[in-house]
Amino acid sequence: MKKALFGLLAIAFLCAAAEAVVVGIDKFDYSDGQIDNANGGTGWAWHYATQTQTNSLGMAPWGWSYFGNINSGTRDVSSQALYTTNGRAMRAYGKEEWEASFTGAGLFYYSVDVTALDTQDEFGIRGYNFVWERVFFGKVSGQAYFGITANHDGNPYTPAYTSISVVEDQAYHLVCAVDYNGDQLRLWVNPDNNDYDNGAGDNTADAILTGYDSGNWNSGLGLSSTGSCKWDNLIVATTFEQVQYKAENPDPADDDIIVTSDVTLSWDPARDPSDPESPNPSVTTHKLYTTDFSDPTDPNLYWVVDIANTGSRAEHGPISVADGEHSWRVDEVLSDMSVITGLVWTFEKLSIPVITDQPDDLFIYEGATAIFSITVESATPPIYQWYKYVDGVNDTELEDGGDISGTDTDTLSIANTEAADEGEYYCVVNNASATPVSSDMATLLLKRRIAYWDFEDSSYQSKAAGSPTTNIYGTPQITAGASFNGSAAMVFDAVGQMLLTDPNDTAYFDICNSGMTVAVWIKLTNQDAWRPYVSHDGEWGGWQLRNCGFDAQGEDEHERPCFTTWGPWDGGKISQHPANRPVYDGQWHYIVGTFDGSFKKVYIDGAVASLTYREDRPEILSDGYETVGTIDAVPVPVGIAGRAIWEDYDHLVVQTGETCTGIYDDVEIYNYALDAATIAQTYADATGTGVCPTPQAYDFDGDCIVNLNDFALFASKWLEDTSVQPTP
């Protein structure tokens, strides 16, 4: 594994925006194969306004991709270098490109090593304004030399060329400046220690494109070639010094943490500007400077030793190191006695505990045992204490007892979990250093029924602990003996009648966005299209179980249930499909919708009703619909026999004219997808009737058993020819 070019590494080398900051570094130390979606390197979470690595859509690096309209050729990693063949690869400076873009002001640099492996018309590094190419540095099309081209909205600037011709199979180090302040683009080919850049009026560039006054943004770069090229050591930075060759690949790495008492410093010599794949033969001596490793409060660097350059990796140590932050630097002395000043690398030595494995979030069934564990490295015996988060100040210190054990070990166990156990847990670890370290918080969520309306005891409130209160609209009535099993049920017999949960407690139901079940016993007296049985919006986000409204499959389509969800699937936002049969028939039905984060199903009377069949023969292709992602959250209450919506994504509307009359009982919502066996068992136990949850192949009589009766039906049609033949 190649070490990163840590001499250019500091993600926020200095805090001030005017000082040196690295935007991104990539040495292509990935596994061999196509580079698309690779996201290694350092930085690539750039925030232009603050000049820091704080892009809002992720501190993690943003990966390589291609532009869809030019996805030709190849872009593959091999032996820790990138190879393009008649293709290009692009990388944005940060995931949120609006935040990452250089917006027509400032100065930044590209640096890359490139070798043309065959004769070709063009190769180089490109700067993009989102998907539009604006600047190009490299071998210019139709030219034998390196140069610069640029355009603004398709209008080209006059190109600038170097006098350096391209030689096949020769490695080049290209340094490119995009200078919005000086209205210039500058290119250096194989810059050495004598090269510099003090701005538009004072530099040693090999080519300068002047008058570059484009207001275009610059959000990313691309590496491209019309033939085959090898690329390595890509850097995007804000100073010229950061893209020059210096001593590199430090160990300890920049911003590293060490826990050993001694450290050996090692590094690679600066590379040769005329041969970037080789060390610089002009380097005679490495001059090592460090802070006082015994006193981390002293920030000054002191000369330690001169080490003769052998052309190979150099080292010095071991050195005793006190706890704290330490810095070091390696300057390269050349044969003419000039000096390449290195960049400062920093590491921290800690003897406090180091948590190497954090506790995992848990999503388990109610009543199961929750186990949180951590792994710790510590020079002295670690001391553990587990907590349950409250507010960061009054957190609960856990003690062994009852269902809780392991509170002073690396593994916390909570048996017989219930709703009160849900929350966030963390461990504080200490040792002889008397410096406590807290683990990450881990969330415990239980797979449970989060809302349940059974309409017994003359109550229309949910019986699930912690669920929001329910409000009544219109005059629906709880009627004793009205249910399918002789118990009480809620009768909605007029337009405008519905139940809605507390509109100030809507976030409670967001726990269902990654997986859920909604179930209702219902005897419909309304067959109007799209009328809801149970809803959490479902029109502008969220979900709803309702009458369908399609008419493509027959006139009874609106009499079939439909489980509608909103989220990033089906190439859009909405996902809805009608069940296989109607339920508007004057009978009670048990209707269930499930979603597990990747698949959605509808059940009627304990059997799956979201089957998809082959068109050419009665073979089941699927028992549901692929629906991958999470349901869009909406600040809307849950409704029964009606719905409220987040209209235009900015205000709540109660749709009193869109209610669904009928008799309702045992309305349930779970925060996970019930399985087919559980749903079938619920129906069978409630009705005393057996049910076949999923049709079986070759079960010709539909009794859920493949037996001799099915064979007899099969045999009765044996060799029966129903084909139509030509007239003799």
Side-chain angles (χ1 to χ4, degrees):
M1 190 79 166
K2 280 193 299 189
K3 296 180 179 293
L5 186 55
F6 286 101
L8 309 169
L9 239 201
I11 297 303
F13 185 69
L14 293 174
C15 294
E19 295 181 14
V21 181
V22 166
V23 177
I25 299 171
D26 202 325
K27 301 198 74 175
F28 304 109
D29 50 348
Y30 309 109
S31 299
D32 289 356
Q34 191 176 73
I35 198 172
D36 291 0
N37 301 314
N39 67 342
T42 299
W44 307 108
W46 179 245
H47 190 283
Y48 170 77
T50 61
Q51 303 280 285
T52 59
Q53 297 288 336
T54 55
N55 195 283
S56 67
L57 286 187
M59 295 294 288
W62 187 228
W64 287 93
S65 63
Y66 62 87
F67 293 119
N69 62 337
I70 49 175
N71 180 22
S72 60
T74 61
R75 52 203 172 274
D76 298 317
V77 172
S78 178
S79 300
Q80 300 185 354
L82 172 66
Y83 290 81
T84 58
T85 301
N86 192 28
R88 65 184 71 181
M90 178 269 183
R91 190 164 193 179
Y93 306 138
K95 188 172 184 179
E96 174 48 75
E97 293 182 73
W98 291 96
E99 292 182 354
S101 297
F102 290 84
T103 56
L107 168 65
F108 67 97
Y109 298 84
Y110 299 135
S111 172
V112 71
D113 297 339
V114 59
T115 304
L117 303 177
D118 56 20
T119 301
Q120 53 195 284
D121 182 51
E122 178 183 87
F123 67 86
I125 186 167
R126 302 172 185 271
Y128 286 94
N129 175 5
F130 297 93
V131 298
W132 296 280
E133 178 187 325
R134 297 308 188 196
V135 298
F136 172 84
F137 304 89
K139 181 188 180 302
V140 178
S141 177
Q143 300 292 323
Y145 305 97
F146 288 104
I148 309 170
T149 63
N151 74 86
H152 177 66
D153 294 335
N155 299 311
Y157 290 84
T158 301
Y161 302 107
T162 71
S163 60
I164 303 168
S165 59
V166 177
V167 178
E168 186 177 325
D169 291 323
Q170 179 174 319
Y172 293 93
H173 177 207
L174 304 184
V175 172
C176 320
V178 179
D179 185 355
Y180 288 113
N181 298 334
D183 294 341
Q184 282 189 358
L185 303 175
R186 299 186 285 275
L187 171 64
W188 292 258
V189 180
N190 295 337
D192 60 25
N193 193 48
N194 297 315
D195 285 294
Y196 59 90
D197 187 25
N198 295 325
D202 186 15
N203 60 76
T204 58
D206 296 305
I208 301 174
L209 188 153
T210 60
Y212 183 72
D213 57 353
S214 171
N216 290 315
W217 291 16
N218 190 298
S219 61
L221 60 86
L223 304 176
S224 68
S225 62
T226 57
S228 294
C229 276
K230 174 185 176 182
W231 307 86
D232 207 351
N233 302 310
L234 172 66
I235 304 167
V236 184
T238 58
T239 68
F240 186 80
E241 289 71 25
Q242 289 172 295
V243 295
Q244 289 180 298
Y245 289 152
K246 305 175 185 291
E248 59 184 40
N249 297 335
D251 187 12
D254 195 31
D255 289 336
D256 207 353
I257 294 175
I258 67 169
V259 295
T260 57
S261 298
D262 298 329
V263 63
T264 295
L265 307 176
S266 65
W267 62 94
D268 287 333
R271 284 176 282 142
D272 185 358
S274 62
D275 183 9
E277 296 186 346
S278 302
N280 189 340
S282 297
V283 175
T284 61
T285 306
H286 309 292
K287 298 184 75 71
L288 174 64
Y289 298 82
T290 74
T291 54
D292 184 350
F293 283 3
S294 65
D295 182 11
T297 64
D298 183 355
N300 298 301
L301 288 169
Y302 303 95
W303 172 82
V304 175
V305 67
D306 286 353
I307 300 174
N309 179 32
T310 64
S312 301
R313 190 167 181 82
E315 67 176 37
H316 177 70
I319 310 170
S320 295
V321 184
D323 278 8
E325 188 171 272
H326 304 277
S327 299
W328 58 300
R329 188 185 82 212
V330 175
D331 293 349
E332 303 284 57
V333 181
L334 303 183
S335 56
D336 62 2
M337 301 307 294
S338 62
V339 177
I340 303 174
T341 303
L343 295 176
V344 176
W345 302 313
T346 300
F347 67 91
E348 187 174 10
K349 191 266 180 172
L350 298 174
S351 62
I352 65 175
V354 176
I355 300 174
T356 56
D357 288 316
Q358 300 288 346
D360 294 325
D361 294 337
L362 298 178
F363 187 36
I364 61 176
Y365 287 102
E366 188 172 21
T369 298
I371 297 176
F372 296 106
S373 63
I374 61 173
T375 303
V376 173
E377 290 183 359
S378 177
T380 56
I383 303 167
Y384 303 92
Q385 179 58 56
W386 286 89
Y387 292 82
K388 184 178 183 183
Y389 178 80
V390 177
D391 57 12
V393 177
N394 303 299
D395 298 349
T396 303
E397 181 177 311
L398 301 178
E399 298 179 355
D400 285 4
D403 293 325
I404 300 178
S405 61
T407 58
D408 59 355
T409 72
D410 61 359
T411 301
L412 173 67
S413 178
I414 307 172
N416 302 312
T417 51
E418 56 188 12
D421 295 318
E422 290 188 321
E424 295 177 300
Y425 294 82
Y426 64 96
C427 187
V428 174
V429 187
N430 209 332
N431 65 4
S433 70
T435 305
V437 177
S438 293
S439 73
D440 294 346
M441 289 193 189
T443 301
L444 172 61
L445 291 177
L446 301 181
K447 296 180 179 181
R448 59 187 179 89
R449 185 169 61 183
I450 66 168
Y452 174 46
W453 294 267
D454 64 1
F455 305 118
E456 299 301 321
D457 305 318
S458 300
S459 173
Y460 53 80
Q461 298 298 328
S462 167
K463 300 295 177 63
S467 56
T469 57
T470 303
N471 301 313
I472 195 167
Y473 284 71
T475 57
Q477 298 294 319
I478 297 177
T479 304
S483 184
F484 66 95
N485 58 6
S487 64
M490 179 67 86
V491 178
F492 301 88
D493 57 7
V495 174
Q497 296 179 352
M498 71 176 91
L499 300 179
L500 285 179
T501 61
D502 183 356
N504 297 311
D505 195 8
T506 60
Y508 174 83
F509 294 99
D510 289 346
I511 194 176
C512 295
N513 291 345
S514 296
M516 66 167 297
T517 298
V518 54
V520 58
W521 287 86
I522 191 169
K523 184 177 181 180
L524 284 173
T525 58
N526 186 307
Q527 63 179 137
D528 291 344
W530 306 125
R531 296 300 174 89
Y533 317 148
V534 187
S535 68
H536 183 41
D537 195 324
E539 298 291 317
W540 296 86
W543 52 265
Q544 58 183 319
L545 190 63
R546 60 175 173 175
N547 281 339
C548 203
F550 297 114
D551 58 8
Q553 298 184 29
E555 294 182 356
D556 67 348
E557 196 78 4
H558 56 288
E559 301 173 2
R560 305 183 184 199
C562 178
F563 185 28
T564 299
T565 52
W566 285 76
W569 36 63
D570 283 4
K573 298 289 288 183
I574 192 167
S575 171
Q576 55 189 3
H577 305 81
N580 298 129
R581 60 188 179 90
V583 293
Y584 181 74
D585 55 8
Q587 304 298 316
W588 277 95
H589 292 286
Y590 179 48
I591 305 173
V592 181
T594 68
F595 165 63
D596 65 4
S598 59
F599 216 67
K600 190 169 63 174
K601 300 180 184 180
V602 178
Y603 298 80
I604 299 176
D605 297 339
V608 66
S610 49
L611 301 172
T612 302
Y613 293 89
R614 288 180 64 103
E615 295 183 357
D616 56 342
R617 59 178 181 271
E619 177 184 329
I620 298 172
L621 294 177
S622 173
D623 62 353
Y625 312 107
E626 183 176 5
T627 314
V628 179
T630 57
I631 297 173
D632 288 347
V634 284
V636 172
V638 163
I640 300 174
R643 67 176 163 248
I645 63 171
W646 193 239
E647 190 166 64
D648 295 327
Y649 303 108
D650 64 7
H651 65 283
L652 184 69
V653 173
V654 178
Q655 294 187 312
T656 55
E658 297 290 324
T659 55
C660 187
T661 58
I663 308 175
Y664 291 65
D665 198 11
D666 288 346
V667 181
E668 300 175 289
I669 301 174
Y670 294 79
N671 64 353
Y672 68 101
L674 294 177
D675 58 39
T678 300
I679 295 168
Q681 193 65 58
T682 298
Y683 179 80
D685 292 345
T687 62
T689 304
V691 59
C692 188
T694 304
Q696 298 190 68
Y698 311 113
D699 177 22
F700 300 118
D701 60 5
D703 63 358
C704 215
I705 302 173
V706 178
N707 56 20
L708 288 175
N709 292 334
D710 301 296
F711 179 74
L713 289 172
F714 175 74
S716 68
K717 301 295 184 180
W718 183 255
L719 297 181
E720 181 177 313
D721 187 356
T722 60
S723 64
V724 176
Q725 302 297 328
T727 303

